[in-house]
Amino acid sequence: YLSVRDSFQALQASRSRSIQTLEQEIAAAQARMTNTSLDGASIIDVADNFGGVPYVRGVTTPRGFDCSGYVKFVYSQFGIALPHSVNGQARMGKIINPEDALPGDLVIMNDHSHDGIYAGNGMFYHAPLRGDKVKLAPIFTPNHYFVRLGIDG
């Protein structure tokens, strides 16, 4: 009995350390993004370089992108590690008022079904859907919000 109890306690302690480590890593990443000064124009330049890349679900490389894979890849070019999910990316920054949105901010659909990179003037770069390609397009729904990831105008 003691051996099983000791093993269980060791496992619980290990899990607790793992969760604590993950929480620390997330906090550190968020602090880096808050303290990192990104230039929106540079982000847009990189985002534009991948126009025409086909939509491929689950992919995060220039051979093909899904929406969050595209956002993840573009930001990785600036040393910003984002998760490969719209929901995860939405949580990495600060929600901002639409009138304060700058090129390079994230555009997140309210239902977290899609995201992209704001280009200004109601336009965004995104990987739309199967059969389509990464492109600059009007934000197609009023049901969206903006997230800032440490971008300077």
Side-chain angles (χ1 to χ4, degrees):
Y1 167 78
L2 291 177
S3 172
V4 171
R5 186 190 72 183
D6 291 343
S7 294
F8 178 74
Q9 288 175 340
L11 177 63
Q12 290 296 93
S14 173
R15 284 186 180 156
S16 178
R17 280 191 302 275
S18 295
I19 291 169
Q20 202 170 34
T21 301
L22 285 172
E23 289 172 344
Q24 290 169 347
E25 289 175 4
I26 289 169
Q30 288 174 329
R32 280 193 307 274
M33 286 194 318
T34 301
N35 295 327
T36 300
S37 179
L38 296 175
D39 175 21
S42 297
I43 292 168
I44 294 305
D45 285 345
V46 171
D48 185 54
N49 286 331
F50 299 99
V53 172
Y55 177 94
V56 180
R57 186 170 191 257
V59 181
T60 63
T61 72
R63 289 178 285 139
F65 293 114
D66 62 13
C67 65
S68 62
Y70 171 62
V71 171
K72 175 182 173 63
F73 182 85
V74 170
Y75 271 89
S76 75
Q77 305 310 296
F78 297 91
I80 303 297
L82 295 176
H84 187 190
S85 76
V86 175
N87 189 41
Q89 291 174 0
R91 293 175 184 224
M92 295 299 290
K94 177 184 172 189
I95 295 174
I96 57 170
N97 292 322
E99 60 272 9
D100 296 328
L102 296 171
D105 287 332
L106 300 185
V107 178
I108 308 287
M109 302 312 147
N110 287 353
D111 63 0
H112 289 184
S113 63
H114 191 63
D115 70 350
I117 301 170
Y118 187 56
N121 299 317
M123 305 287 282
F124 77 138
Y125 284 93
H126 69 131
L129 52 104
R130 191 172 146 197
D132 209 337
K133 298 175 189 284
V134 171
K135 62 184 171 185
L136 177 64
I139 299 172
F140 55 84
T141 177
N143 301 318
H144 66 276
Y145 62 97
F146 297 92
V147 172
R148 170 122 347 122
L149 300 174
I151 297 169
D152 288 339

